[in-house]
Amino acid sequence: MSPRSFRANRSHDILATAYLKGIIGKLNRATPTDSPARRTIDQTLVPMLAQLATSNLCWQPEVGAVMQRMREGNLQGAAVQALLVLHSLGLSGSWELLLSQSTDFSFAGNFFSCRGAMTVSASDSELRVGGAEGQFLHLVRQGTRWVIAGGGAHTMSYRQPGYCRHARFEGVYVHDWMEPEVIGEDVVVEWPITVNCGARQSLVSAALDTIDAGLAVLAQADESYLRWVEKLFRGVAATAYRHDDMRQSGSYLDHPGVFNCGFPGHAAASTAEVIVHEMSHQNFLLLNSVFPLCVDHADDQIYSALKGRKRPLSRVLFAYHAAANMALFWDDLAAKGALNPYYETERQTIYRHALSLTEGLSQARGLTEAGAYYFKLHNALLGERGIVGHAA
């Protein structure tokens, strides 16, 4: 799960598909036999799932939205969101469901709201949604994007994303997101982002420019970074920076494939570092969801250099994976040309974090077999570069 050990195999496809099937399995088991959603699940969702092809595209924030609707007790909304996930992956079908409450949905990064009677007809390249009082929405596939059909006619409450311009990442989308003022341990993006929230197009445009520039720097460091990033990168929830030196981003299991990040941001190399950081987290979240990497209660809390305090083993391993990959990125970029003083300082700072986290994890008892291999692989990569003292 490192860009410098990445091979063009099907591991991401298999893990992402297993994760999606696991979430839909939870929904199936949680839905009572007398639930309004039961018939739709039995007659439409389960048969569609049986046709699902193995794909890394199963790792998408809409899967997190299924979990969110389930936690809210909105099983009808969860079933609809799960069906929309499968339609976005090219599975055809027609169905209808009576929604007992107005619900926000996401379809390949497109947000819309629906209530009451909802009808859907989908093919591998088209989605038609009908709602109460004659509301409608018509989306079509254009390459790796799903966009409003024709001249953009729709009567549903709808919010479209901005799209990256990089040729290999044209399906990666950006939405404006108003970050809460009170920030706890985790900043979790509401997904789908509220449809009636007015998008700040200047922020979306700045984010798209910055992301494209960051991807160019990743290609400069090594082509393997782009091959690795494109597997799980679905989108960005863009937040306006509140002060010039603010650095903020985050990835969470409630929105797989999407990270939140402040913009317009710093120079391109800083954005490249953020992408490596957050896509490291995405890889961790995916792997840990299918093959747990550690057991927290087996160890006392371990000091995390990135946070400056002791944290549970899982959080330290989470941070270590990102620090290790960022250290490798700066080493690769420096090999292509001298870094300016600011980035040289950043490189040395990340090296120290990686070394400190390595030392903290080296005696951990709570790593599973998969977690121990995961740690040793990254430690070996760092050791080969002389970033840590030895290769595992």
Side-chain angles (χ1 to χ4, degrees):
M1 292 296 184
S2 168
R4 302 309 283 137
S5 63
F6 176 72
R7 299 292 182 270
N9 56 34
R10 300 196 70 202
S11 59
H12 286 90
D13 301 328
I14 294 168
L15 291 172
T17 307
Y19 181 71
L20 171 57
K21 288 183 174 180
I23 296 302
I24 293 180
K26 288 183 179 180
L27 171 62
N28 195 6
R29 293 189 295 273
T31 305
T33 55
D34 59 350
S35 166
R38 182 76 261 169
R39 181 178 178 182
T40 302
I41 290 174
D42 290 342
Q43 296 187 0
T44 307
L45 181 58
V46 172
M48 281 177 60
L49 186 63
Q51 304 172 42
L52 179 66
T54 303
S55 171
N56 61 80
L57 294 175
C58 292
W59 185 253
Q60 54 174 273
E62 287 76 11
V63 181
V66 175
M67 294 192 295
Q68 290 177 309
R69 299 294 86 80
M70 289 176 64
R71 286 197 296 269
E72 296 163 1
N74 183 358
L75 294 178
Q76 293 166 293
V80 169
Q81 186 62 79
L83 285 162
L84 291 173
V85 169
L86 297 183
H87 290 320
S88 76
L89 295 170
L91 294 176
S92 302
S94 297
W95 49 272
E96 60 182 38
L97 187 66
L98 183 65
L99 294 169
S100 59
Q101 63 189 90
S102 180
T103 305
D104 290 336
F105 296 108
S106 179
F107 179 81
N110 292 270
F111 300 156
F112 66 95
S113 293
C114 198
R115 61 180 174 82
M118 179 178 181
T119 61
V120 169
S121 176
S123 69
D124 62 351
S125 60
E126 192 171 27
L127 179 79
R128 294 180 182 270
V129 182
E133 300 174 356
Q135 292 182 325
F136 71 91
L137 176 67
H138 184 195
L139 299 171
V140 295
R141 187 195 295 273
Q142 290 186 356
T144 56
R145 303 173 178 176
W146 284 88
V147 300
I148 284 287
H154 63 87
T155 57
M156 282 187 173
S157 180
Y158 168 76
R159 185 174 173 190
Q160 66 181 4
Y163 285 100
C164 286
R165 302 156 190 124
H166 192 290
R168 289 175 62 171
F169 294 87
E170 290 182 340
V172 172
Y173 43 79
V174 173
H175 275 287
D176 163 44
W177 177 57
M178 300 293 292
E179 183 180 331
E181 290 299 319
V182 179
I183 301 173
E185 175 72 12
D186 292 340
V187 181
V188 179
V189 175
E190 174 192 16
W191 200 274
I193 296 168
T194 304
V195 175
N196 60 11
C197 175
R200 294 167 290 183
Q201 293 303 323
S202 61
L203 176 63
V204 171
S205 180
L208 292 169
D209 289 342
T210 307
I211 292 166
D212 284 343
L215 291 169
V217 173
L218 289 180
Q220 179 185 346
D222 193 89
E223 177 65 20
S224 64
Y225 287 94
L226 294 187
R227 293 197 301 271
W228 176 73
V229 166
E230 67 185 345
K231 285 291 185 178
L232 300 182
F233 191 14
R234 304 291 171 256
V236 173
T239 301
Y241 276 128
R242 292 193 293 271
H243 48 81
D244 289 344
D245 61 348
M246 180 180 175
R247 301 186 71 177
Q248 166 268 313
S249 65
S251 291
Y252 305 99
L253 195 55
D254 273 356
H255 47 279
V258 168
F259 60 86
N260 58 285
C261 185
F263 293 97
H266 302 287
S270 292
T271 304
E273 181 191 44
V274 168
I275 295 173
V276 171
H277 185 160
E278 298 307 331
M279 297 319 296
S280 295
H281 287 341
Q282 294 291 331
N283 276 270
F284 181 100
L285 291 170
L286 173 57
L287 182 58
N288 190 56
S289 295
V290 181
F291 296 104
L293 299 175
C294 59
V295 180
D296 275 336
H297 61 73
D299 294 275
D300 294 330
Q301 292 203 340
I302 299 169
Y303 180 76
S304 172
L306 282 175
K307 292 293 184 179
R309 64 178 184 275
K310 289 187 175 182
R311 308 185 84 198
L313 173 60
S314 59
R315 304 296 293 193
V316 175
L317 187 61
F318 188 65
Y320 166 78
H321 180 224
N325 285 335
M326 287 189 290
L328 294 168
F329 159 70
W330 285 119
D331 192 64
D332 285 330
L333 192 61
K336 300 298 174 64
L339 302 177
N340 67 34
Y342 178 88
Y343 288 125
E344 181 58 36
T345 298
E346 177 70 4
R347 175 166 74 131
Q348 296 303 324
T349 298
I350 294 298
Y351 282 7
R352 289 193 295 273
H353 287 323
L355 177 58
S356 176
L357 291 164
T358 298
E359 293 170 345
L361 289 168
S362 61
Q363 302 302 316
R365 299 182 299 275
L367 295 175
T368 64
E369 182 179 355
Y373 177 80
Y374 187 82
F375 173 60
K376 289 178 180 178
L377 169 64
H378 289 84
N379 198 27
L381 292 169
L382 294 173
E384 290 171 359
R385 307 286 186 95
I387 296 171
V388 299
H390 64 281

